[in-house]
Amino acid sequence: MDRSRLLGLFLLSLALSGAQALTPAHYLSLSDVARLQSLLSRPFNDLESAYYSIVGLTKLGATVPDHKEVCQFLKSQLDPTSVDSLFFAAETSQAISGCEIPVSNETRDILLAAVSEDSTMTQIQRAVSALGSLGLPLASQEVVGALTARINKEDNVMAITSALQTAARLSQQAEFGGILEEIEDLTARLDDLGGIYLQFEEGLEATAMFVTAAYSLSDHVDMEPPLKEDQVIQLVNSIFSKKSWDSLAEAFSVASAAAALSSNRFHVPVIVSAQGPATVSHSQPTLQLLVTDVMSQPLASANVLVESAYAVASKSIILSQAPFTLNDGVFELNFMSSQPASGYYQFTVAVTGDSRLVANHVELKVKVSTEVAVTNMDLSVVDKDQSIGTKTTRVDYPSKAKSSFTADSHQNFAMSFQLVDVNTEVDLTPHQTFVRLHNQKTGQEVVFVAEPDSKNLYKFELDTAERKSEFDSISGTYSLHLIVGDATLENPILWNVADVVLKFVDEEAPATIQPKTLYIPKPEIQHLFREPEKKPPTVVSNTFTALILSPFLLLLILWIKLGANISNFSFSPSTILFHLGHAAMLALMYVYWTHLNMFQTLKYLAIIGGVTFLAGNRMLAQKAVKRIEKK
């Protein structure tokens, strides 16, 4: 095996192995970003909504209109005694220009007092952020101590995420201790959904804010976060899979995560997508790719390279190590210069130029389409005994044969043609090549598959004697159509080639020609049930009946001989009703065997049994009372 063959197999193996690499399935498209901006641009009526709107728009790189009016709103709504109010106002003021929030000694003391292990994690985070935004000094190591103490008390995702955000606002010289390790601990709490999504059970907002906090702190201390490439991609899929947001806070968290994933110092996910359909042809030979971050912003510094491109059908490599060229923000490659045949090709694309890039090896399926032409269309009627010479008629696409062709049971109708690529004149074998015969009178259609031979010459031959059952022996004029279709064809063909008169044997043809239909009554199916078995002799039946009744007869005889004691029988309504109900149930059993089914019997039994139960209960209660009175 020569070196080029070995190199080809090696590159192909790399391409096949790379097909398993995880790539982002979701991101913020330009329309998603516009929709997110629209949500964040809604009018705000308090400091919290102003914070989410203004800072969220800044994260997306959008312009905040009328900074002066926003600043006046912040000052008018500010409560200098509230940590939350100070946080929202201070953070929002940093997102606009020329806005300074007034700070008094009392304000400073309130914020410093909130930085305590007795405060909640949210209060600590907001107080530290407000102090930083207002330019007030604070002891970073004391904050670390307060955070560590609160983590032990508030061991939940949102609290620890707030601790990470707070640590990112402290001095870089601070000893963060175990706070940095919380990134890895939180990562271990993420739920893996099918190997595609990674998220907290607390929901989208918690997941997005964790990503923001993790990269913010990692950038601050210049230490890569303990996130694997697949985990980063799974987080991207989870955060950006939702395209509508329930609240301003959720929209803000998505915008913050998008900004963190686009501009951090360690991991920048790459989105590679075709501009329009991933299709090339001789009329459109250039494959165009968009290479962006998760906010659909182009990565102009990237370099794009085709590591390999192979035909899906034959696995043969067509192209390798070919660079794309950047043209007005779009990466382009003239793939048709490699003269690929029509079909599908698997591309392995690598994006380089920045060590931060992740998901930068992408698999793309590209379609090479072409136009098909029908050539050498020959029609003929062949005599079976060869007594008459065959006359062949050549028909050029898209014309129709000027005269019709007639074939009876002693003749075959033959058709042969070739399908070629219009641009390269190479033989084509599309996936769908059919010959359709349509009866002009009845509307009946019969479709046959045209198959190519070893030389890619399509041949179709109709033996009217053997195929008469498929036509229901209906003679007449049939329109002959050629149908050619394939996903890679730009011009699928439906060509009325000629009219063919088919004559079947007269005695086998139906008296009246009717269109074939499936919607007619079917013949009635006559079921033959099993004959009943022969009944036993009457003597046997009577003997069995006598044996069944013998215990009752014996009871009557013993009552007569010994004497029946009915002195305790009471003629109260409950007693009479109970015995009548009992007798009715016995009668119902007989009627069940002779007239009723199970469901009817149960219905009557429920009525009779209910009355009998109540009457019997009343009767027994009365007897118990009488027995007590006698004592």
Side-chain angles (χ1 to χ4, degrees):
M1 186 179 294
D2 58 10
R3 290 185 176 180
S4 60
R5 180 67 172 171
L6 284 171
L7 177 61
L9 290 175
F10 173 72
L11 291 174
L12 178 58
S13 66
L14 286 178
L16 292 175
S17 63
Q20 304 300 321
L22 185 64
T23 55
H26 302 281
Y27 60 97
L28 290 179
S29 65
L30 292 177
S31 60
D32 295 332
V33 173
R35 193 164 56 254
L36 192 58
Q37 288 182 3
S38 176
L39 177 59
L40 294 172
S41 298
R42 292 178 180 177
F44 41 81
N45 51 18
D46 56 31
L47 286 178
E48 183 176 5
S49 59
Y51 164 73
Y52 289 136
S53 296
I54 303 302
V55 179
L57 288 171
T58 305
K59 299 283 188 182
L60 295 176
T63 303
V64 178
D66 204 346
H67 290 196
K68 186 176 295 186
E69 182 178 345
V70 173
C71 186
Q72 290 176 353
F73 176 83
L74 297 179
K75 293 178 180 179
S76 66
Q77 296 290 317
L78 177 64
D79 179 3
T81 64
S82 169
V83 173
D84 293 339
S85 180
L86 289 167
F87 164 75
F88 291 130
E91 290 291 286
T92 308
S93 68
Q94 295 298 301
I96 57 179
S97 59
C99 185
E100 184 176 348
I101 302 298
V103 180
S104 64
N105 292 333
E106 182 183 0
T107 299
R108 183 193 61 188
D109 294 340
I110 291 173
L111 294 175
L112 290 174
V115 184
S116 167
E117 62 181 79
D118 296 326
S119 302
T120 65
M121 189 68 80
T122 301
Q123 287 178 315
I124 297 174
Q125 184 257 327
R126 290 182 174 179
V128 171
S129 298
L131 287 168
S133 297
L134 295 173
L136 299 176
L138 75 162
S140 296
Q141 207 57 49
E142 292 181 6
V143 177
V144 171
L147 293 176
T148 304
R150 289 310 304 177
I151 288 175
N152 295 329
K153 297 178 181 179
E154 296 185 57
D155 188 18
N156 60 73
V157 172
M158 291 304 294
I160 298 175
T161 299
S162 295
L164 299 178
Q165 291 176 314
T166 306
R169 304 297 294 264
L170 302 179
S171 171
Q172 293 178 332
Q173 283 72 39
E175 294 290 337
F176 292 101
I179 296 179
L180 288 172
E181 298 174 0
E182 295 296 338
I183 299 177
E184 187 173 2
D185 292 342
L186 283 185
T187 303
R189 298 191 193 185
L190 290 163
D191 296 329
D192 190 330
L193 304 180
I196 300 176
Y197 302 98
L198 204 61
Q199 63 185 40
F200 292 114
E201 63 180 12
E202 285 80 358
L204 170 60
E205 186 175 345
T207 307
M209 293 310 296
F210 162 70
V211 169
T212 304
Y215 281 109
S216 177
L217 180 56
S218 297
D219 285 349
H220 185 63
V221 300
D222 195 19
M223 181 182 297
E224 184 174 356
L227 291 170
K228 299 178 182 178
E229 180 173 335
D230 282 357
Q231 291 176 321
V232 176
I233 298 170
Q234 288 175 280
L235 287 167
V236 168
N237 289 336
S238 180
I239 294 170
F240 302 120
S241 61
K242 189 174 182 180
K243 301 302 182 181
S244 61
W245 303 277
D246 300 330
S247 63
L248 268 178
E250 190 174 76
F252 170 80
S253 68
V254 172
S256 299
L261 289 166
S262 300
S263 59
N264 72 85
R265 297 162 61 182
F266 301 101
H267 302 145
V268 176
V270 177
I271 308 299
V272 179
S273 59
Q275 187 176 42
T279 303
V280 296
S281 63
H282 288 275
S283 59
Q284 179 59 45
T286 304
L287 176 64
Q288 297 181 321
L289 298 182
L290 296 174
V291 180
T292 66
D293 57 23
V294 294
M295 289 198 294
S296 296
Q297 296 302 308
L299 299 175
S301 62
N303 299 316
V304 183
L305 178 74
V306 178
E307 293 184 333
S308 68
Y310 65 92
V312 174
S314 64
K315 306 300 182 185
S316 59
I317 293 179
I318 304 299
L319 189 65
S320 63
Q321 303 302 313
F324 280 76
T325 58
L326 182 61
N327 182 14
D328 196 19
V330 179
F331 290 89
E332 297 181 340
L333 173 71
N334 187 350
F335 183 51
M336 295 305 295
S337 63
S338 302
Q339 299 181 345
S342 61
Y344 288 94
Y345 293 82
Q346 193 73 23
F347 276 60
T348 301
V349 177
V351 181
T352 59
D354 193 328
S355 60
R356 301 176 301 162
L357 301 180
V358 297
N360 57 332
H361 288 78
V362 184
E363 296 291 322
L364 291 176
K365 182 174 283 188
V366 178
K367 180 173 73 174
V368 176
S369 60
T370 189
E371 293 181 308
V372 64
V374 184
T375 61
N376 301 326
M377 173 63 76
D378 293 329
L379 307 176
S380 60
V381 177
V382 182
D383 195 71
K384 291 184 178 179
D385 56 13
Q386 303 294 327
S387 60
I388 303 176
T390 303
K391 181 181 178 181
T392 301
T393 301
R394 174 67 58 87
V395 183
D396 295 328
Y397 176 79
S399 302
K400 180 180 178 181
K402 296 180 180 179
S403 58
S404 61
F405 298 81
T406 303
D408 56 24
S409 58
H410 303 290
Q411 298 168 317
N412 291 345
F413 174 75
M415 172 182 179
S416 64
F417 58 92
Q418 287 180 294
L419 300 176
V420 299
D421 190 316
V422 171
N423 300 289
T424 63
E425 298 185 356
V426 176
D427 291 336
L428 293 178
T429 55
H431 287 167
Q432 297 175 337
T433 306
F434 302 117
V435 176
R436 183 179 72 181
L437 290 164
H438 176 263
N439 192 307
Q440 296 180 357
K441 185 175 182 180
T442 66
Q444 180 189 19
E445 289 186 354
V446 182
V447 179
F448 301 95
V449 178
E451 299 284 355
D453 59 15
S454 58
K455 297 181 179 179
N456 289 330
L457 177 66
Y458 285 84
K459 293 182 179 180
F460 168 72
E461 189 165 344
L462 176 63
D463 189 328
T464 55
E466 291 184 359
R467 297 294 184 97
K468 62 183 180 181
S469 61
E470 298 181 43
F471 293 86
D472 294 334
S473 298
I474 299 176
S475 301
T477 302
Y478 289 79
S479 297
L480 176 69
H481 293 88
L482 176 64
I483 303 173
V484 180
D486 193 287
T488 62
L489 292 182
E490 296 178 331
N491 60 330
I493 292 176
L494 174 59
W495 178 19
N496 185 1
V497 184
D499 290 335
V500 181
V501 180
L502 300 181
K503 296 182 179 180
F504 300 98
V505 180
D506 293 336
E507 58 268 24
E508 295 182 359
T512 58
I513 299 176
Q514 295 180 348
K516 184 177 180 180
T517 178
L518 300 175
Y519 307 105
I520 57 175
K522 302 294 183 184
E524 183 180 357
I525 300 175
Q526 300 292 337
H527 293 283
L528 179 62
F529 295 95
R530 186 178 66 176
E531 296 182 0
E533 297 180 358
K534 187 178 180 181
K535 294 183 178 180
T538 307
V539 177
V540 176
S541 302
N542 293 338
T543 303
F544 183 76
T545 304
L547 290 173
I548 294 298
L549 296 175
S550 59
F552 181 69
L553 294 174
L554 179 61
L555 177 63
L556 293 177
I557 294 171
L558 292 175
W559 276 355
I560 295 171
K561 188 173 182 179
L562 299 176
N565 182 12
I566 58 173
S567 60
N568 287 330
F569 186 83
S570 173
F571 288 93
S572 64
S574 60
T575 303
I576 296 173
L577 192 60
F578 171 74
H579 286 87
L580 288 177
H582 192 268
M585 285 192 287
L586 294 176
L588 181 62
M589 294 299 172
Y590 171 75
V591 177
Y592 166 65
W593 286 106
T594 57
H595 294 86
L596 302 178
N597 58 38
M598 181 184 296
F599 299 101
Q600 293 171 326
T601 303
L602 290 174
K603 181 175 65 175
Y604 293 126
L605 183 61
I607 299 172
I608 297 173
V611 175
T612 304
F613 171 77
L614 295 174
N617 184 66
R618 178 65 177 170
M619 180 189 71
L620 293 175
Q622 291 174 349
K623 286 186 176 295
V625 171
K626 288 181 179 180
R627 188 179 299 111
I628 293 172
E629 290 176 351
K630 288 180 180 180
K631 291 182 179 180

